[in-house]
Amino acid sequence: MSSTPIGILGGTFDPIHYGHLRLAQEVLEQCSLSAIRFIPCGTPPHRSAPHAAAQHRLNMTRLALQGNPAFVLDEREIRRTDPCYTVDTLTALRAELGAQRPLCLLMGGDAFLSLHTWHEWEKLFGLAHIVAVQRGVCSSHDGRPLGNAINGANAALRDAYHARLAPSPRALHESPAGAIVVVDMPALEISATGIRRRCAEKKSIRYLLPDAVADYIRSNHFYTQPC
Ligand code: ATP
């Protein structure tokens, strides 16, 4: 394979926090990717409407990525008012980056276990690899905890997992799409929901997300209502 794989991390980023950033950094290093594209979604199809407006979520993501040249902001989804399906985003990226470039869709292990509910989810494997990140596990690439949880998951997802699971991140460099790689990272018990709740309760959000993002939230008075 001639080119280094690119990672893609989509999310509501309402707001972006150190859990997202650390996930991306772990995958960047463990899988030897060249860059990670952060793609804040416009209208998320799987959940209720975001609390902060799209432009503000975009601004917060831009602030959070400052200083890391391997982290790239991708604005393609943010202005869309129709539901943003990952399959469409990956199709567009594939057209831009060419058929041979390995693309890696990053997600938490929790998100992976509901992958079968995503629009046209089986097509995703024709467009990208999937890197599922499980939190709070000692480093190993055997995917054991996710490997256990998958037994209780949707049957088609379980079959796809067993058929596509690769023993090491090297697989991401060997073909453009189609493998599942499981990566471990130390757990950071941070969620956007928790940050919004702390804001509404007038508690500090320091050390949960970059200072620049915390300052932006404070100066714009975001998340003051209970979520
Ligand atoms: P919310 O609390 O509003 O549901 P969130 O913090 O879970 O938001 P999302 O934008 O929904 O953030 O998540 C985007 C991706 O980041 C998902 O794949 C999710 O699994 C992952 N993720 C979220 N929080 C963490 C964390 N603390 N550590 C590692 N990955 C995370």
Side-chain angles (χ1 to χ4, degrees), residues 82-115:
D82 53 332
C84 304
Y85 293 116
T86 302
V87 68
D88 299 332
T89 300
L90 288 179
T91 301
L93 276 167
R94 177 55 75 203
E96 277 169 35
L97 297 169
Q100 294 309 312
R101 182 83 180 217
L103 301 179
C104 306
L105 183 62
L106 279 45
M107 64 185 74
D110 51 340
F112 179 80
L113 289 170
S114 61
L115 190 67

Side-chain angles (χ1 to χ4, degrees), residues 12-13 17 19-20 23 47 108 110 135 188 190-193 196:
T12 319
F13 303 138
H17 54 68
H20 302 129
L23 174 149
R47 49 186 295 162
D110 51 340
R135 312 174 201 171
L188 291 177
I190 303 173
S191 70
T193 305
R196 293 194 301 271

Side-chain angles (χ1 to χ4, degrees), residues 9-14 38-58 61 73-86 89:
L9 180 60
T12 319
F13 303 138
D14 190 19
F38 285 69
I39 310 188
C41 63
T43 305
H46 292 101
R47 49 186 295 162
S48 51
H51 297 256
Q55 184 62 48
H56 290 305
R57 291 185 290 109
L58 182 71
T61 307
L73 180 61
D74 187 319
E75 304 187 17
R76 74 184 59 235
E77 285 191 3
I78 197 83
R79 283 176 234 292
R80 288 178 54 173
T81 49
D82 53 332
C84 304
Y85 293 116
T86 302
T89 300

Side-chain angles (χ1 to χ4, degrees), residues 4-204:
T4 321
I6 291 180
I8 295 147
L9 180 60
T12 319
F13 303 138
D14 190 19
I16 190 166
H17 54 68
Y18 282 136
H20 302 129
L21 294 165
R22 192 62 217 171
L23 174 149
Q25 187 65 25
E26 288 281 348
V27 176
L28 185 79
E29 288 178 8
Q30 293 189 39
C31 299
S32 305
L33 306 188
S34 58
I36 311 268
R37 289 191 184 214
F38 285 69
I39 310 188
C41 63
T43 305
H46 292 101
R47 49 186 295 162
S48 51
H51 297 256
Q55 184 62 48
H56 290 305
R57 291 185 290 109
L58 182 71
N59 292 346
M60 290 191 280
T61 307
R62 184 179 293 110
L63 288 169
L65 304 189
Q66 272 174 2
N68 188 340
F71 287 0
V72 178
L73 180 61
D74 187 319
E75 304 187 17
R76 74 184 59 235
E77 285 191 3
I78 197 83
R79 283 176 234 292
R80 288 178 54 173
T81 49
D82 53 332
C84 304
Y85 293 116
T86 302
V87 68
D88 299 332
T89 300
L90 288 179
T91 301
L93 276 167
R94 177 55 75 203
E96 277 169 35
L97 297 169
Q100 294 309 312
R101 182 83 180 217
L103 301 179
C104 306
L105 183 62
L106 279 45
M107 64 185 74
D110 51 340
F112 179 80
L113 289 170
S114 61
L115 190 67
H116 60 285
T117 65
W118 294 24
H119 182 61
E120 299 189 313
W121 67 277
E122 281 159 308
K123 284 192 183 164
L124 298 175
F125 296 110
L127 295 162
H129 300 297
I130 292 189
V131 179
V133 182
Q134 51 188 7
R135 312 174 201 171
V137 189
C138 303
S139 195
S140 73
H141 290 298
D142 63 2
R144 221 176 300 115
L146 190 56
N148 289 340
I150 199 78
N151 290 327
N154 170 270
L157 182 62
R158 190 173 61 229
D159 290 349
Y161 176 86
H162 288 302
R164 297 178 179 279
L165 184 64
S168 105
R170 272 195 305 279
L172 305 174
H173 296 249
E174 288 164 359
S175 68
I180 295 173
V181 165
V182 178
V183 160
D184 303 327
M185 71 176 270
L188 291 177
E189 291 303 329
I190 303 173
S191 70
T193 305
I195 290 172
R196 293 194 301 271
R197 188 176 301 126
R198 293 188 74 81
C199 290
E201 293 169 352
K202 299 192 172 21
K203 290 180 176 162
S204 169

